[in-house]
Amino acid sequence: MKTSWRSASLVASAAAVLALTTACGQDSPPAASQNVGATAAPGDYGSIGSGAGNGVAGNASGQPAAPSPSSPSNPAGKLSVATAEEVGKVVTDSLGLTLYRFDQDTDQPPKSNCDGDCAKTWPPVPADDAEAGEGIDKSLLGSVTRADGTKQLTVAGWPAYRYAKDVNAGDVKGQGVGGKWYALAPDGKKAQGGGAGGEGTEALPGLSTRNDPKLGEIVIDKNGMTVYRFMKDSQWPMKTACTGDCLEKWPVVAPVDEKDTKGIDLQGSTPNRGYVVFDRPDGIKQQTIDCIPIYTFAGDKKAGDTNGQGVGGTWYAIRPDGKPVGASEK
C-alpha cells in the first residue's frame, strides 16, 4: 500500500485545524472561505489623554516644521544622568531628553522589536556618536543593528529610545506607557517609581488578578496594568478589529508561559480552551483568555489605573474567565 507524503500532510493539517477549532469552543470547523486572521474595520480606539504632540506637523507658513527633538536624525551626543520627579535617576541625551526601554525587547542578546509605526512614536537612539558623560558607565554602552541596518544605542544590552511626546528636557511622558515603556536607569534597569512595574515593585506573574474596588476581580499583567478586551474582536474565528494606530493606544499582551499565571482560567470549560496564542494578521503574537485577544491601555499610567474601562462602549476590563466587566458579550 502506497501513501504519498502529500496525503499524509493533508491529513495532519486537517487534524490540526480540528484541534484548534475544538479548543476554541467550535463544534465544527469554519467554512473554507473564512479567514481566521481577517481584520474588521478599526474604530473606537479611545484617547491616550493629554500630550504634547509629535512635533512633526507643518507650520502656519505651510513649510515643514523642524524635526522633533526626539527625531532619530538627532544624535545622542554625551549621555548623562538626571533626576526626574517620582521616577528617579534616568539616562538623558545631550539635549536632556529622557531615554526609554521597551519590555518586548531583549537584552541578551540585544534585540529591538519596535519598528514601523512603533519607531515613529518611539524613535530609536542612534549609537554612532553616543558617549558616556557624568554618571554613565561607559562599559554598559553598546549598539544593536536594527532591521533597517542602522545602529541603535543600547544601555546594559537594552535598546534605547526617545518618546515623540517628550519635547522638553526633563519630560518623562513615556514612563509606564502601555505598561511596557519605562525610562532607562543608568544601570539599564527600569527607572524606579513613577509607573507600574518599575524596579523595586513586587514581582508579579505574567498574568494574575486583583480586586478592584469598583470593578471587582480583574486580570492584570506582569506590571500590574489592567488587561482589557475589545468587543469588536471575535472569539471564533479569532479576528482582531484593533490594528495600526489602534495598537498605539491598546498594546497587545504578549504571550505568557501557561505556568506563569495566578488565578487565571487558562483552561476554560474545554481542555486547553483558554491557553491559545493568537497569530495576528500583522505578525504579532497575542495572548488570549478563552480565545479572546487581550490588551493593555496606553492611557493607564500606573498599576491600578482603569482608564480604559468603557472607552467607546467597546473596551472593558476582563475577568479571569474571559467575561467583560460591565458589558454583555456580543
Side-chain angles (χ1 to χ4, degrees), residues 19 21-26 265-275 290:
T21 300
T22 302
C24 289
Q26 181 84 354
D265 182 10
L266 286 184
Q267 295 302 313
S269 57
T270 304
N272 295 323
R273 174 175 176 172
Y275 192 79
D290 200 23

Side-chain angles (χ1 to χ4, degrees), residues 19-327:
L20 178 58
T21 300
T22 302
C24 289
Q26 181 84 354
D27 292 331
S28 59
S33 61
Q34 290 180 312
N35 180 2
V36 172
T39 303
D44 296 325
Y45 301 153
S47 173
I48 296 179
S50 61
N54 58 18
V56 295
N59 56 32
S61 67
Q63 297 299 316
S68 164
S70 62
S71 169
S73 63
N74 290 333
K78 183 174 290 188
L79 306 180
S80 58
V81 178
T83 300
E85 185 177 357
E86 297 184 358
V87 177
K89 292 185 177 181
V90 300
V91 179
T92 61
D93 66 9
S94 58
L95 296 177
L97 294 176
T98 304
L99 304 192
Y100 297 88
R101 51 173 276 179
F102 184 31
D103 276 358
Q104 291 185 350
D105 288 348
T106 60
D107 62 331
Q108 295 181 350
K111 185 179 188 303
S112 168
N113 289 306
C114 178
D115 298 293
D117 289 342
C118 174
K120 294 177 182 177
T121 303
W122 301 93
V125 179
D128 294 341
D129 76 329
E131 59 178 296
E134 186 176 355
I136 302 295
D137 184 348
K138 181 179 179 180
S139 67
L140 296 182
L141 302 184
S143 66
V144 61
T145 302
R146 296 175 53 79
D148 60 7
T150 59
K151 297 285 187 180
Q152 180 176 1
L153 173 70
T154 61
V155 179
W158 288 99
Y161 306 82
R162 301 181 180 106
Y163 184 41
K165 290 188 176 181
D166 284 353
V167 295
N168 299 309
D171 283 350
V172 284
K173 297 176 182 177
Q175 176 73 353
V177 166
K180 295 178 172 63
W181 291 92
Y182 297 94
L184 267 165
D187 58 2
K189 296 182 179 179
K190 301 174 189 177
Q192 300 183 30
E199 298 300 323
T201 61
E202 182 180 356
L204 293 171
L207 287 174
S208 58
T209 66
R210 71 175 177 84
N211 286 312
D212 184 85
K214 294 182 179 179
L215 304 180
E217 188 180 23
I218 58 176
V219 178
I220 59 176
D221 70 2
K222 64 182 180 180
N223 297 309
M225 306 301 287
T226 302
V227 172
Y228 300 87
R229 59 175 289 181
F230 189 25
M231 302 307 290
K232 289 189 175 183
D233 288 349
S234 77
Q235 186 177 26
W236 185 260
M238 278 190 291
K239 294 188 297 185
T240 176
C242 182
T243 61
D245 290 342
C246 174
L247 294 179
E248 293 295 328
K249 299 174 182 177
W250 301 94
V252 307
V253 175
V256 301
D257 190 301
E258 187 173 2
K259 297 178 181 178
D260 189 24
T261 63
K262 183 178 181 181
I264 307 295
D265 182 10
L266 286 184
Q267 295 302 313
S269 57
T270 304
N272 295 323
R273 174 175 176 172
Y275 192 79
V276 174
V277 173
F278 179 26
D279 287 316
R280 295 167 50 91
D282 51 19
I284 300 172
K285 292 186 180 295
Q286 182 174 11
Q287 183 62 52
T288 71
I289 294 177
D290 200 23
C291 292
I292 299 162
I294 56 178
Y295 309 79
T296 53
F297 181 43
D300 288 346
K301 300 301 182 182
K302 63 182 184 302
D305 283 353
T306 56
N307 298 320
Q309 176 66 5
V311 166
T314 52
W315 291 92
Y316 295 93
I318 191 170
R319 298 200 188 283
D321 60 0
K323 305 294 184 184
V325 178

